[in-house]
Structures are given as structure tokens and as C-alpha cells.
Amino acid sequence: MPAHATAHALASGSDRSRADGQAAAGSHAAQQRSRRDARHDAWFRLALQGCALLVLASLLGAALSTLWGGRQILLHDTMGFLTSSQWNPVTGQYGALAPVFGTLVTSCIALLLAAPVSFGIAFFLTEIAPAWLRGPVAGAIELLASIPSIIYGMWGLFVFVPFMASIEPTLSNTLGRLPVVGTLFQGPPLGLGLLTAGVVLAVMIVPFITAIMREAFQSVPLRLKESAHALGSTSWEVVWNIVLPYTRQAVVGGLFLGLGRALGETMAVTFVLGNSYAIGYSLLMPGTTISSAIANEFNEAVGNHRSALIALGFLLFVVTFVVLLCARLMLRQLAKHGDAR
Amino acid sequence: MNPSFRRTLQCLSMAAAFVLGARGAQAADITGAGSSFVYPLISKWSASYADKTGHRINYQSIGSGGGMAQIKAGTVDFGASDMPLDEATLKQYGLGQFPDAIGGIVPALNVEGVAPGQLLLDGNTLADIFLGRITRWNDAAILALNPGLDLPAANITVVHRSDGSGTSYHFTHYLSKVSSAWNASVGAGSTVQWPGGIGGKGNEGVAAYVRQIPHSIGYVEYAYARKNHIAHARLRNAAGTAVEPNMASFQAAAASADWDNSPHFSLLMLDAPGSDAWPITAASWVIMPVQPKNAANHAVALDFFEWAYTHGQDQARTLDYVPLPESLVTRIRTYWKSRFQR
């Protein structure tokens, strides 16, 4: 077979296999091999596509099945479900506002506390720490990430809640006296509540954010940092002006991965949040979150109550989706801002 | 075939023969699901019962709601629930039910200087505390019940269950029964809209909160309070007696309850009339189909509960469940004959 015919036969394949085909022209065995390679490539591509589709399908399946499971409530009274803060299984009123409020508030507290701490740890590990310390500390942080959330819950309930109860009177007497933020820190010093849950969540998401930030910081080319140092920058200036802008995408991505985990966290929150369907100004008051409401009530729920809990699950999808969408938009804004600079 | 491989094969076949032999011709696998309240009891009973008869009872503690759903769907041989089904539902799904265990619910509290059993409350006061109408421990209503007790002028923190539970079901039904204000504004159910306070997950969650938060009050199962040495309150019952929560007062409640007018045992033993009856006594029910899909399994399941009533009561006592009074067991046997055609 002449060379141009072989090339023609393989023209439908990928660029690479066509190139292979031309190189192997004339030899029958080589031609077969290149055909086999092309076939394997196609299979490989199919397998990868399958994996990707599987993720999409399970996501879609989960979202649709929660929507279907919650149809009784969503069809019955959509506005009531979305806007009411009344959750009363006895009278059959189900309003999701209190759990959504609790979910957002605890996750925001967690992110506000975890972001600077994670940044500090990652900064320390990549720029400041001596080489012999980096491995062990990084390992310890990854270990923290593998602790199951029920352990954090137990720790929160038996250790951290009493500690918070002991410092909350001080908080109320100092921060609680400030003019505007004061209302955030007033209330009975129970040790339970939105603030405690936020802190426990922060401890839980720090390892995730730190791990991603550290990886990102390590990926910054050495010559950039060295150039900055050579120009007389301090370590802080190097990180703030060189490393952070260079790793912006990964850092924000890491923050939102942590936020996503905080939004869906169940057991640890259930133990320290106080589980009360209330919306208030004070961070010391008990609240509830979407996932802890589901975990608490699903076992004994029947009929509309069960449907309302499944609808809550769907709402968690929506809330997470909206939050991630905001993250994307923010990233895009940041990118524009960076380009302009 | 090499010798060691042959030996392995022999071992395997012997093991297989042993397993299959143990499964035997008559040994049945009974499945049950539902209430987590009776789970420790049923698993202890089923271990002893399997030793005696070879029949295995596989009970899954998935919650009363789940147990009801499964028995209605007919996927298990028996369901267990902390809430009784009413007559109409039983009729609709062709089911029968009977109680299998009794337990008590006690108010648990953490007030400085108040020893276990020292504080006395009545139904109305308890309801007012949980409604948030009584906010301080030295409220006149509490002081009137406890002359001579030195109660602090501290705010009361109310602790309730955050998870749906039979304990909450019985507790809120009791409050609804004794307080019209509670009945009108909150009502009763396994999950209710609590007027205030904080929610702990499970008995252990409520107990942990009560222990940690000074001047708090909650409610837990008696067995739990006893094992963990939590201070409890006495209650004034329907007959006007101040009673301690214990086996005798729970049994008195079960014995004095009006079973005559509840043919399917769908009766809550709350605020029972007996002079020594503990007012918040709860039961758990077994629910079984009248026309079972698997008649052999059905018969074994009934035999299991018969064995439990006659031989399992000491085990129940060691787990702090209250044995059913003999009069009630006799009633249940009559019910079986009429309902299940044994």
C-alpha cells in the first residue's frame, strides 16, 4: 500500500495517529499498531467521558430526586416554604428560612475565621518555616482533614462548649457594649450557638484551605520570588505582591471548597448549635442549619414532614450552587482587576 | 493438587457444612425494624432466643417512622414504634399492635443545691416552664410546690430533644394533656415547634446540655438518667400524690391505665389514674400484619414475644426497662388469639 493511501485511511483519526501513520508507512506491522493505538485512544477517550458524565449524572440525579421527594411541600406552598420562618410539624407549617439563615451565618463565620488562619499557616510553611519543620506540620494538617466530623462534634460538645460558656460573659461585657456590633454578642452564655458552631466549622475547614493554599504557594516560580527579594522586598511584600496575585485563582478556589464543606457539614454542627428554629441578631443564640435539621428529624418524619425535609435538601443544593456561582463571578472580577493592574 | 491447597479446601467445605447445618431446616430469620428505644432490649432478647431456639431475630433500629413505613409496606415481619397507630390506620393496612416494653420519662435538672428527687413539680408547672411562662427557679408556682427548698433567682434554660423521638412524643402528649395552654399553643408530636430553649440530639445530647448549663431543665428516658446519675424531679400525679420515678411507679401506671377501652392498646399511659402511678410513663409497640406474607415467620415472631414476656423480663430489668404487668400480658395473649389466629 502506498504511503499516501495509508495516510488517507487514517485521516479520520487524530492528528497524532495520522502523524504516526505517516511515519510507519510501508510497514504492515507498524500500520496495524498505529490502528490499534488509535482504537485505544478512542476507548480511553470514551472511558474518560464516561467518568465525567457519571459525575454530572449523579449530581443531576441527586438534585432531581430531592426535588421530586420534596414536591408535596414545594407544590403545596412554595412561597411559604421559602419565606416563612415557622417550622411546626404539629400544624404542618414548614418554612425553611431559619435553617437557611443558620447555614449561611455559621458558614460565613467559619470562612471569616478560617481564611486568615489558613493563609498564615500556608505562608509560614512555604516561606518562613525551616525545611525540617515543613514536612511534619504539613502532615499534621492533612491528618486533621481526615478526622471524622462526629469527633469534632463530640469535642465541640464536651470541651469547646463549656469553654465558650466560660468566655461568653466576657464577650457580652466587652464586645456586647459596642454600639453597632454589640447586638451580635448579647445573649445568655450557654456556650452553644451560631458563634460556637462557626468556630468548630472553622477548625474543620482550615486543613482543606491550608492544603490547597500551600500547594498553590509552592507552585510560584522561584525566580519571581527571588527577583522580588533581590529588589529589597520583605517576606510579607513578596507574599502579598507576588505570591498571592500569582496564585489568586487557586486561593479563592480553596476558600470556596472550604465554604462548600462548611455549608454541608452536619454532625459537628448539630452538637453545638442548639438546634432551635430561630432567627436572631445575636451570634450567641442557638440556631439550626439545613443539614442538621435533616439529620435530626428525618428518622421520625412521615408524610409532609418528610417531604419538607427532602425539599430542604434540595434547597441546600440551590444555596451551594448560588454560593459557588458567586465565587465564579468574584474570580472573574478579580481576574479583570488583575489584568487592569 | 498440592497438599496444602487440598487442606484449605477441606477446611472450607467443613466450614460451609457447618454454616449450612446451623441454618438448618427449621431455623428462621425474622426481620424487624423501627424504634430505637427498644433496640437494646430486642437485641439482648434475640441473642438469648437464638441460643434457645436457633431462630434469629434481625432488628434494625431505624426509628419509629421508618418501622411504621416498613411494616405498612410489608417488607419486615414486625415493626416497632414508640407511637401507637390508631384503629383506623390498623384497619386500613390490616395490622395489629401490642406493647412490648415500658419506660419512664423523667425531668432532668441542674440546679445548684437541689439533690436528685428533691424538687417536686406538677404537670401545669412543668408545662409553664417549657412554655417559657415560668422563667426563674424561684417563681411562686415552683416555691409553692417546694416549701422549704432554697431555690436560686436564676433564669431557667429549657433543653429539649432536637431529633424526632418517641420520648418527645410522650412528653409533649403529657404536657398537652395536663396544660390547656400547651395544647393550644404547641401541641404534641415527635417533633414540635418548641417555644424556646435549646435542642440536644438524643438522650445523650439533652443530658450533656443539662449537665453543662447551670439552672437548666430537660427530659430524658429514665434508664438514661439512672445510668448517668442525672438529678431528676419528682412529679405530682393525677391522684395528687408526689411520686418518684422507678419501676414500681411505671408499673403502677401501666396497670392503672384504661386498657378496657382501647382494644388495640393504642393508649398512652400518661397522667394515669393510679395513686402511685408515674405520670409520664411511655410504652413501645410491636406492629404486625394480620394476614402475613410469610406465616411461618409470623408464628416465630409471636413465639419470640411470648418467650420475651415469660423469660425475658429479668433481662429487661437489667437494662432498666419495665416489665409489663401480668394483667397486661394476659390481655395481650387474648388479643393475639383474636387478632392473629395463631
Side-chain angles (χ1 to χ4, degrees), chain A residues 85-91 93 154 156-159 161-162 165 188-190 192 267 269-277 286 293 295-302 305-306, chain B residues 35-36 61-66 68-69 82-83 157 160 162-166 185-193 196-202 204-205 208-209 211-213:
Chain A
S85 59
Q86 297 288 315
W87 183 274
N88 190 338
V90 177
T91 56
Q93 275 178 295
M154 292 320 238
L157 177 59
F158 291 113
V159 181
V161 167
L190 301 174
L192 304 153
M267 283 328 274
V269 175
T270 306
F271 277 96
V272 299
L273 188 51
N275 302 300
S276 144
Y277 286 86
N296 271 321
E297 295 178 18
F298 201 74
N299 246 6
E300 298 292 336
V302 285
H305 189 187
R306 176 168 286 237
Chain B
S35 155
S36 47
S61 122
I62 58 171
S64 303
M68 278 187 198
D82 298 342
M83 310 137 207
T157 301
H160 53 78
S162 64
D163 47 337
S165 70
S185 62
V186 182
S190 58
T191 316
V192 300
Q193 188 174 34
I198 50 174
K201 187 163 164 50
E204 61 281 8
Y209 284 172
R211 230 185 262 133
Q212 285 173 8
I213 299 171

Side-chain angles (χ1 to χ4, degrees), chain B residues 132-200:
Chain B
R133 287 180 168 185
I134 293 179
T135 56
R136 281 172 185 272
W137 278 109
N138 64 349
D139 190 279
I142 305 179
L143 287 178
L145 284 164
N146 299 280
L149 196 59
D150 187 24
L151 288 162
N155 278 327
I156 302 177
T157 301
V158 168
V159 184
H160 53 78
R161 287 281 288 267
S162 64
D163 47 337
S165 70
T167 313
S168 292
Y169 177 87
H170 287 275
F171 188 72
T172 53
H173 269 277
Y174 170 68
L175 295 185
S176 289
K177 199 167 178 182
V178 294
S179 155
S180 51
W182 180 274
N183 193 26
S185 62
V186 182
S190 58
T191 316
V192 300
Q193 188 174 34
W194 295 94
I198 50 174

Side-chain angles (χ1 to χ4, degrees), chain B:
Chain B
M1 207 185 269
N2 74 41
S4 77
F5 180 65
R6 192 172 298 164
R7 209 172 304 131
T8 317
L9 208 65
Q10 273 173 352
C11 283
L12 275 178
S13 59
M14 269 166 68
F18 177 75
V19 170
L20 290 176
R23 285 190 149 259
Q26 302 99 350
D29 268 302
I30 311 298
T31 52
S35 155
S36 47
F37 166 69
V38 291
Y39 174 66
L41 182 61
I42 291 190
S43 40
K44 189 152 194 177
W45 276 346
S46 62
S48 316
Y49 186 69
D51 283 346
K52 275 251 157 49
T53 61
H55 299 308
R56 274 178 303 269
I57 312 291
N58 305 300
Y59 182 75
Q60 291 177 346
S61 122
I62 58 171
S64 303
M68 278 187 198
Q70 293 230 3
I71 194 68
K72 280 177 188 169
T75 48
V76 287
D77 295 313
F78 69 92
S81 167
D82 298 342
M83 310 137 207
L85 291 172
D86 57 33
E87 202 164 340
T89 316
L90 289 171
K91 203 169 173 188
Q92 188 191 341
Y93 291 95
L95 300 168
Q97 75 182 353
F98 53 91
D100 60 348
I102 298 174
I105 296 164
V106 299
L109 46 103
N110 174 359
V111 184
E112 219 182 300
V114 176
Q118 211 178 357
L119 187 79
L120 173 68
L121 295 172
D122 62 15
N124 235 326
T125 314
L126 192 63
D128 281 350
I129 291 175
F130 274 81
L131 273 172
R133 287 180 168 185
I134 293 179
T135 56
R136 281 172 185 272
W137 278 109
N138 64 349
D139 190 279
I142 305 179
L143 287 178
L145 284 164
N146 299 280
L149 196 59
D150 187 24
L151 288 162
N155 278 327
I156 302 177
T157 301
V158 168
V159 184
H160 53 78
R161 287 281 288 267
S162 64
D163 47 337
S165 70
T167 313
S168 292
Y169 177 87
H170 287 275
F171 188 72
T172 53
H173 269 277
Y174 170 68
L175 295 185
S176 289
K177 199 167 178 182
V178 294
S179 155
S180 51
W182 180 274
N183 193 26
S185 62
V186 182
S190 58
T191 316
V192 300
Q193 188 174 34
W194 295 94
I198 50 174
K201 187 163 164 50
N203 280 306
E204 61 281 8
V206 171
Y209 284 172
V210 168
R211 230 185 262 133
Q212 285 173 8
I213 299 171
H215 309 119
S216 59
I217 183 167
Y219 57 92
V220 290
E221 273 161 28
Y222 168 71
Y224 199 86
R226 215 180 82 106
K227 261 182 237 145
N228 294 280
H229 308 291
I230 300 165
H232 62 270
R234 284 174 301 145
L235 284 176
R236 176 162 287 166
N237 66 11
T241 330
V243 279
E244 272 281 336
N246 54 36
M247 296 270 169
S249 62
F250 301 152
Q251 275 199 322
S256 71
D258 185 17
W259 298 109
D260 282 333
N261 290 318
S262 39
H264 296 282
F265 304 100
S266 36
L267 160 82
L268 304 178
M269 292 174 274
L270 302 167
D271 211 22
S275 65
D276 301 319
W278 178 252
I280 327 177
T281 305
S284 179
W285 287 264
V286 174
I287 308 170
M288 289 175 72
V290 175
Q291 274 159 341
K293 282 179 189 164
N294 185 334
N297 276 7
H298 191 261
V300 174
L302 282 181
D303 184 62
F304 169 66
F305 287 109
E306 171 61 46
W307 176 88
Y309 290 142
T310 44
H311 298 99
Q313 297 307 333
D314 282 339
Q315 288 179 348
R317 237 175 255 119
T318 60
L319 290 174
D320 283 314
Y321 291 86
V322 186
L324 302 187
E326 198 48 44
S327 58
L328 186 55
V329 174
T330 318
R331 253 175 221 280
I332 293 171
R333 290 196 182 108
T334 323
Y335 178 74
W336 283 355
K337 276 192 197 109
S338 67
R339 187 90 180 153
F340 295 129
Q341 291 115 32
R342 243 184 130 192

Side-chain angles (χ1 to χ4, degrees), chain A residues 134-152:
Chain A
R134 294 182 185 185
V137 174
I141 287 165
E142 273 156 28
L143 258 181
L144 267 182
S146 66
I147 295 177
S149 62
I150 185 87
I151 304 291
Y152 281 104

Side-chain angles (χ1 to χ4, degrees), chain A residues 179-195:
Chain A
V180 182
V181 290
T183 42
L184 291 179
F185 298 98
Q186 280 161 2
L190 301 174
L192 304 153
L194 296 167
L195 183 63

